Amino acid sequence: TAVASSVAAAAAVSAAAQQHAAGTDLGIFVVTAGSERFLRRARQAVRTWAEGREEVIFVAAGASELPGGRYVEAVPCADGPGASEAVCCKVVEGFHLALQRFPAAQWLVMASD
């Protein structure tokens, strides 16, 4: 189907971008949440300061599509009432993902939305 082709194409572009970004000396991950309020902020970041920056990834409890073929990547953490516990989990998982994605990074930067 067209949707499956679109998803496959986006995955291929994402994989190529990840391979290119793996050689960077900086990795930035943004911890956010899956609610519309936080997704709006992630979309705005992708349109402004994170535009074209492959060293920036977004992590949250659930995956979501962002502009420009970017995604909020799902981590196995909860959103919700235990906000401090959820943020701690997302930070740890975000660091883990950033270390995998940017193995040559000399600096990892975490931003919390």
Side-chain angles (χ1 to χ4, degrees), residues 1 3-5 7-8 17 19 24 43 49 66 89 94 106 109:
T1 68
V3 172
S5 296
V7 169
Q19 186 172 3
T24 186
R43 285 188 209 95
W49 66 268
L66 296 173
C89 177
Q106 295 180 23
V109 178

Side-chain angles (χ1 to χ4, degrees), residues 7-57:
V7 169
V13 168
S14 179
Q18 288 173 13
Q19 186 172 3
H20 174 73
T24 186
D25 62 352
L26 172 68
I28 302 169
F29 69 97
V30 180
V31 174
T32 190
S35 72
E36 184 55 36
R37 180 178 127 209
F38 289 99
L39 289 174
R40 202 174 4 205
R41 291 171 154 177
R43 285 188 209 95
Q44 185 62 27
V46 168
R47 289 186 194 109
T48 57
W49 66 268
E51 183 176 17
R53 300 197 65 146
E54 296 168 357
E55 69 274 14
V56 178
I57 57 175

